[in-house]
Amino acid sequence: MSSRRVLKAAQAIREVVGMAILADLKDPRIENATITKVEVAPDMRQAKVSVSVMGDDAKQRLCVSGLQSAAGYLQSKIAKRIDTRYTPRLKFELDMGVKKSIELAKVLDEVLPPEDLPPTESLDARAEDTELEELTDQEEE
């Protein structure tokens, strides 16, 4: 279990890196990137930053390499924000969670039958018709 201090540092790193991507970094390789999570080592010397990038595999790899080349600048911004003995060294990795969930949704759409249910009004009308038929059958008997 991570300590509260490590969790606070991870949150601060996530905020600093996310804002730097939006406002400060001018590298054309870094586009459509979102920081999904940050894991900080217990000794606070390393931080693994998970990044979700929209685009094909080449764009994703290019963005991660752009972020890795900007790691020194980002570490200096983190050092200003958190007061620790060591500034965590950043390692960027691609988060494939979003891509996998989209692929899973596509597979489920192919496998599961389509939901062609009639609107609720027609279901109500069918129920009323059935009740009417039952009543008329009872009256005839």
Side-chain angles (χ1 to χ4, degrees):
M1 181 174 164
S2 297
S3 69
R4 184 170 183 241
R5 181 172 180 244
V6 172
L7 293 174
K8 284 179 73 174
Q11 182 63 27
I13 291 169
R14 184 173 182 263
E15 290 173 9
V16 169
V17 173
M19 287 306 296
I21 287 173
L22 287 175
D24 299 338
L25 297 180
K26 305 295 184 208
D27 191 338
R29 296 177 290 179
I30 303 170
E31 291 180 339
N32 302 324
T34 305
I35 305 302
T36 55
K37 73 178 172 184
V38 176
E39 296 175 9
V40 179
D43 63 356
M44 301 273 294
R45 289 188 183 225
Q46 295 205 357
K48 186 170 29 170
V49 181
S50 298
V51 182
S52 174
V53 181
M54 298 302 289
D56 60 352
D57 290 339
K59 267 190 175 179
Q60 291 173 347
R61 285 192 303 274
L62 199 62
C63 183
V64 170
S65 68
L67 286 169
Q68 198 61 50
S69 68
Y73 172 74
L74 295 171
Q75 284 172 211
S76 69
K77 296 210 44 113
I78 291 167
K80 293 176 186 172
R81 171 78 187 268
I82 61 175
D83 185 30
T84 59
R85 180 177 292 171
Y86 304 106
T87 301
R89 295 184 59 80
L90 300 178
K91 180 184 177 211
F92 292 93
E93 68 176 19
L94 201 54
D95 184 9
M96 301 301 286
V98 175
K99 186 175 182 180
K100 288 182 181 178
S101 66
I102 291 171
E103 290 174 4
L104 182 63
K106 287 180 183 177
V107 169
L108 287 176
D109 285 343
E110 292 173 5
V111 173
L112 295 176
E115 294 183 23
D116 291 337
L117 294 177
T120 55
E121 292 178 17
S122 62
L123 288 176
D124 293 338
R126 284 186 196 168
E128 290 175 4
D129 290 342
T130 312
E131 289 174 13
L132 261 167
E133 288 175 10
E134 289 175 1
L135 286 175
T136 53
D137 289 340
Q138 289 175 357
E139 289 175 358
E140 289 177 1
E141 293 175 358

